[in-house]
Amino acid sequence: MSFRVPVLLSSSSVFPEPTAAAFEMAATVGYDGLEVMVWTDAVSQDADALKVLADHYEIPVLSVHAPCLLVTQRVWSSDPWERLSRAADLAESLGAPTVVVHPPFSWQRDYARNFVPGLARIQDRHPDIAFAIENMFPVKMAGRWFVPYTPGWDPTEVGFDAYTLDLSHCAAARVEAMDMADRMGVGLRHVHLGDGTGVARDEHLVPGRGTQPCAEVLQSLAGRGFRGSVALEVSTRKAPSRPSREADLRESLDFARRHLAPSASTMAL
């Protein structure tokens, strides 16, 4: 039997609707599972509540996005190590094999200085979880570029055991997504699928609506021996209605499934 890459819905894709709505829409549209973005919504932080939703909608949580955003710097704790540790505990309690992690912000000096050994200690406590470091992008403000991450936005320059490839971030960074996937190599464990046009911001467009090689990246995964998951991380915040939002999510899922069709070279389970 060929390996079938599970296609997940990121709960961030239904914003401004809450986490509970993501389970409902994932079940309605037909996703294989959910990636929970841990943020200010209390449900996203609560293992028991998430288990109830997962059981009710028969949608497993297969990835947890640690609270690494600017708006989540006070979720659970102001200490980034505590936030990462609790994200790992949440993933373990839900049976999710992946935790998505951003590189440290440049102002998190102690966290950044000890990120590699600290991450290794958490990995030792959770050996069955992949802590997949995500590629980010420079930011343009007042006509000037700066990098808000230490030592940079590209985690392959440091080297980690596991990575999340975000195609929208590749667009914002103006780097080739296929090249980034090549640099991640066997460490590529998770994909955030979303499109972009190369403007200086994170667009998270429905795949196929931008200029990124979304189809080519998905088609290349079998040949890379990929055994992770693909999460649709698209922005639907401007959708005028629930049916319109679901239509975008259905189009995204159809795109992913169409280009992830297993090839003859896919390894058997």
Side-chain angles (χ1 to χ4, degrees):
M1 181 179 178
S2 297
F3 175 74
R4 183 175 182 269
V5 175
V7 182
L8 318 182
L9 176 64
S10 169
S11 60
S12 65
S13 297
V14 308
F15 182 84
E17 295 196 59
T19 303
F23 282 93
E24 180 183 358
M25 280 185 266
T28 298
V29 175
Y31 282 81
D32 298 313
L34 204 75
E35 174 171 309
V36 170
M37 170 71 79
V38 180
W39 65 300
T40 55
D41 179 0
V43 170
S44 73
Q45 307 169 28
D46 189 324
D48 290 337
L50 292 169
K51 287 176 184 176
V52 168
L53 288 165
D55 290 343
H56 177 75
Y57 288 106
E58 298 183 331
I59 293 291
V61 177
L62 297 179
S63 179
V64 169
H65 195 310
C68 304
L69 304 175
L70 283 174
V71 296
T72 59
Q73 295 300 291
R74 297 289 177 178
V75 168
W76 283 331
S77 169
S78 60
D79 179 2
W81 288 119
E82 176 68 13
R83 293 198 301 273
L84 184 53
S85 181
R86 291 186 64 169
D89 290 341
L90 180 64
E92 191 165 78
S93 68
L94 295 169
T98 305
V99 172
V100 177
V101 186
H102 288 185
F105 285 117
S106 55
W107 56 85
Q108 296 173 313
R109 294 179 182 175
D110 291 338
Y111 180 55
R113 187 180 304 113
N114 297 293
F115 187 64
V116 171
L119 183 64
R121 287 192 291 271
I122 294 178
Q123 179 74 78
D124 286 343
R125 297 200 299 269
H126 301 276
D128 296 327
I129 293 176
F131 293 86
I133 313 303
E134 187 172 5
N135 61 294
M136 301 304 291
F137 52 94
V139 175
K140 191 174 186 179
M141 292 185 66
R144 302 185 67 178
W145 291 95
F146 76 99
V147 177
Y149 304 99
T150 297
W153 58 267
D154 179 357
T156 68
E157 293 183 354
V158 174
F160 294 95
D161 292 335
Y163 300 100
T164 295
L165 172 65
D166 189 302
L167 278 79
S168 178
H169 293 177
C170 287
R174 299 183 181 182
V175 298
E176 293 293 332
M178 291 289 279
D179 290 346
M180 180 64 71
D182 289 344
R183 292 203 295 276
M184 290 178 172
V186 296
L188 177 57
R189 303 292 184 85
H190 191 61
V191 175
H192 277 169
L193 182 58
D195 217 331
T197 62
V199 297
R201 66 178 184 277
D202 192 8
E203 296 176 280
H204 285 299
L205 302 177
V206 169
R209 297 185 186 178
T211 60
Q212 293 306 292
C214 297
E216 290 85 347
V217 168
L218 295 178
Q219 291 162 3
S220 78
L221 293 179
R224 297 176 187 276
F226 183 74
R227 289 294 178 272
S229 53
V230 170
L232 269 299
E233 196 178 64
V234 297
S235 176
T236 65
R237 67 184 63 193
K238 294 183 179 180
S241 64
R242 169 66 73 87
S244 178
R245 175 167 288 117
E246 287 184 357
D248 282 349
L249 299 180
R250 185 170 287 106
E251 180 181 338
S252 299
L253 177 61
D254 289 346
F255 183 100
R257 289 250 173 89
R258 183 165 68 254
H259 295 291
L260 279 169
S263 69
S265 63
T266 305
M267 293 173 59
L269 286 172

